[in-house]
Amino acid sequence: MSQSTRLLKSVAFRLALGYGALVVGAMIIISAVFYFGTVGIIDRSIDSKLVVVSQRLTDRFEANGVEALQQQILQLLRDGVDQDTEVYLLLDAAGRKIVGNLSAPGGQSALDRLSDQTVDRDDRSSTSRLLPHQLSNGDVLVVGRDLQDLREIEQLVMRALLVGGAVGMLLAVGGAVLFRRKLERRVAAIRRTAM
C-alpha cells in the first residue's frame, strides 16, 4: 500500500479533512450572512428613503400645484445635501423634461416600481435606482439615487471577505495539518506502548 493511499485511509487524515471542511463551511455561511446583511440593509434604506421622498413631493404637488413642485425640486438640487447622489426629474404628460438633473430615461419604467437603470445625470452616465410616479395631472415625477457609492461599498465588502476567506482557508489547512500530526503522534505512541 503506497504512502498516499495510507494517508487517505488514515483516521487522522479523515478527521483533519472533516475539521477543515467544517471550518470552511462555517466561514462561507458567516461571510454570506455578513455580505447580504450589510448590502441588504443599505439597499432597503435607499428604497425606503426614495418612497418617502416621492410621497412627500407628491403631497407637495397635490397641495400647491406643479409650480410649487418644480420649486421644491430645484431647492432640493441646490441645497447641497446628497448632491452627489440625488436624482430628480419631472416630465410633462408628453414625456418632455420640465425640471431635474436627469435626462429623460431611455426605457419605459413601470410606475411606482423601483428599478436600476443607466441614465445621464448632470451630463454624465450614472447607474441609478429610480422610482417613477404619475401625478394626477399626467406629469411623471422620478425620484432616484446614484448607486456608485453603493457599488464601491459592495466591492470593498467583497474584497474584505475574499481576503478574510483566504486567510481563514490557510488557517484551516494549517490547523488540519497540525491536528493530523498531533493525532498521528498519539496513535503511534499508543502502538509503541501496546507492542
Side-chain angles (χ1 to χ4, degrees), residues 16 19-20 167-181:
Y19 161 77
V167 170
M169 288 285 282
L170 290 173
L171 290 173
V173 168
V177 168
L178 288 174
F179 178 75
R180 181 182 63 86
R181 284 185 183 161

Side-chain angles (χ1 to χ4, degrees), residues 25-65:
M27 285 178 4
I28 289 171
I29 291 170
I30 290 168
S31 296
V33 168
F34 177 74
Y35 177 79
F36 290 112
T38 303
V39 173
I41 286 171
I42 295 170
D43 272 344
R44 285 189 298 274
S45 172
I46 290 170
D47 293 351
S48 65
K49 183 176 180 183
L50 292 178
V51 169
V52 167
V53 170
S54 179
Q55 186 59 54
R56 191 175 72 228
L57 291 173
T58 300
D59 293 344
R60 174 80 174 215
F61 163 77
E62 295 297 337
N64 303 308

Side-chain angles (χ1 to χ4, degrees), residues 83-146:
Q83 198 165 4
D84 295 342
T85 59
E86 64 189 353
V87 173
Y88 296 104
L89 178 65
L90 182 61
L91 301 168
D92 66 15
R96 292 182 299 262
K97 179 178 175 178
I98 299 172
V99 68
N101 64 344
L102 185 69
S103 301
Q108 282 290 355
S109 299
L111 294 173
D112 298 315
R113 191 163 288 173
L114 288 156
S115 65
D116 294 353
Q117 293 185 32
T118 301
V119 293
D120 287 328
R121 183 177 75 88
D122 292 328
D123 299 323
R124 70 173 181 82
S125 183
S126 162
T127 300
S128 297
R129 182 160 297 145
L130 304 177
L131 178 61
H133 174 72
Q134 189 165 29
L135 302 172
S136 58
N137 68 348
D139 291 354
V140 175
L141 170 67
V142 180
V143 175
R145 185 189 191 283
D146 185 285

